[in-house]
Amino acid sequence: MNRPPAVRLDRLLANLGYGSRREVHVLVRERTVVLDGQVVTDAGARIALTRDLPERLSIRGAPVDPPAPLVLMLHKPPGVVCSHREPGRSVYELLPTRWRSRTPALSTVGRLDLDTTGLLLITDDGPFLHRVISPRSHAPKRYIATLESPLRGDEADIFARGDLMLEGEERPLAPAWLEVLEPRLARLTITEGRFHQVRRMFSSVGNHVVSLHRDRMGDLDLPPELAPGAWRILSPAECESALIQPQDGPLRLA
Ligand code: URA
């Protein structure tokens, strides 16, 4: 079995946003850091980075934050942006404040528009992020769209054909699967992540998306009990399930 990597405590806590290394030394001097039931007295001690670290290590009586790599699912509410740089309230403000100082930094796995709600992954795991957003990943993403006008009836065929060109693009969209739930309510599954893709697809068939919600990525569903604004950490198996590509059904790849 592979041994878990070991890191210096001061470095680990600084990377988790508990302060500078000097500030971490103060925490240790104040006897606030406890590992496996023992007060830590050496800030330079090397500790094994196991997944259960929050159960073994506490700071001021509270479990330590989970170390990297971390993948979260957030139920994105409307009115928050997915970027550190855009003005306005960001999804990162829904997480514990200390997490904004983590190294490696957390970032969203792709983006949802300001008013799009639903399943958003956030991670500090670079390889995982790239696997999900890579153009070679064809993991489906499922959206519920509320539309301004009733569906005409030909949209499912148009989206499924795989030849729909969006304005300003050079390549047609891959086939997408539309399910009509009500005259103005549709479920759309896409395997790409182009800019404003769902809104632009409906606009290309003369409609307008009034509200948009993502409820599934790969085989990973947004759980109904996760309220808007709430988040939870994913297990490695759940992370893999977000990447599952269609093996059969209408979006099966050739
Ligand atoms: N497609 C869109 O148009 N907007 C989103 O937020 C996600 C997919």
Side-chain angles (χ1 to χ4, degrees):
M1 215 173 71
N2 285 344
R3 283 239 198 107
V7 284
R8 276 180 66 111
L9 178 79
D10 51 2
R11 180 145 183 237
L12 171 72
L13 295 188
N15 284 348
L16 290 176
Y18 285 90
S20 63
R21 274 160 89 154
R22 184 180 298 214
E23 285 163 336
V24 170
H25 281 246
V26 174
L27 285 175
V28 168
R29 261 203 312 277
E30 290 173 345
R31 302 177 64 81
T32 61
V33 182
V34 175
L35 177 66
D36 296 327
Q38 304 275 322
V39 172
V40 178
T41 52
D42 175 10
R46 292 183 79 80
I47 56 173
L49 262 186
T50 54
R51 262 191 90 77
D52 65 349
L53 197 64
E55 287 150 46
R56 300 174 45 223
L57 181 63
S58 66
I59 319 290
R60 293 203 179 98
V64 73
D65 294 340
L70 191 60
V71 182
L72 317 172
M73 67 153 69
L74 169 79
H75 184 160
K76 182 188 172 295
V80 292
V81 296
C82 285
S83 155
H84 288 288
R85 280 180 290 271
E86 270 175 71
R89 192 162 179 241
S90 86
V91 290
Y92 303 102
E93 291 174 48
L94 300 168
L95 304 177
T97 315
R98 185 167 52 235
W99 291 21
R100 279 174 238 162
S101 317
R102 285 174 67 110
T103 307
L106 289 163
S107 55
T108 63
V109 178
R111 296 206 181 157
L112 292 177
D113 298 338
L114 177 71
D115 284 323
T116 302
T117 57
L119 177 57
L120 180 71
L121 301 184
I122 299 181
T123 191
D124 56 14
D125 182 344
F128 175 75
L129 172 76
H130 287 112
R131 281 172 68 206
V132 182
I133 65 173
S134 153
R136 282 195 302 272
S137 159
H138 301 284
K141 291 165 275 281
R142 194 172 78 180
Y143 295 87
I144 309 284
T146 307
L147 303 164
E148 192 170 77
S149 312
L151 288 147
R152 305 184 306 220
D154 59 351
E155 296 89 344
D157 285 344
I158 296 173
F159 293 167
R161 277 204 310 254
D163 60 4
L164 183 63
M165 284 293 272
L166 293 179
E167 225 177 283
E169 302 250 342
E170 285 172 1
R171 267 183 314 111
L173 292 178
W177 182 30
L178 182 81
E179 299 161 89
V180 178
L181 305 176
E182 288 173 24
R184 289 191 174 80
L185 189 69
R187 189 150 55 202
L188 179 63
T189 304
I190 60 177
T191 59
E192 299 167 290
R194 303 207 202 171
F195 186 61
H196 295 324
Q197 181 169 337
V198 174
R199 292 175 203 274
R200 289 163 75 209
M201 286 173 75
F202 281 106
S203 126
S204 76
V205 290
N207 214 322
H208 175 72
V209 173
V210 177
S211 69
L212 190 59
H213 177 82
R214 181 159 70 191
D215 69 347
R216 181 166 239 232
M217 292 174 72
D219 259 358
L220 183 69
D221 285 311
L222 183 68
E225 67 278 8
L226 197 69
W231 55 271
R232 74 166 172 79
I233 295 173
L234 295 187
S235 68
E238 287 175 313
C239 296
E240 286 309 307
S241 73
L243 277 154
I244 287 182
Q245 303 189 6
Q247 295 302 315
D248 50 26
L251 292 179
R252 182 168 49 85
L253 301 167

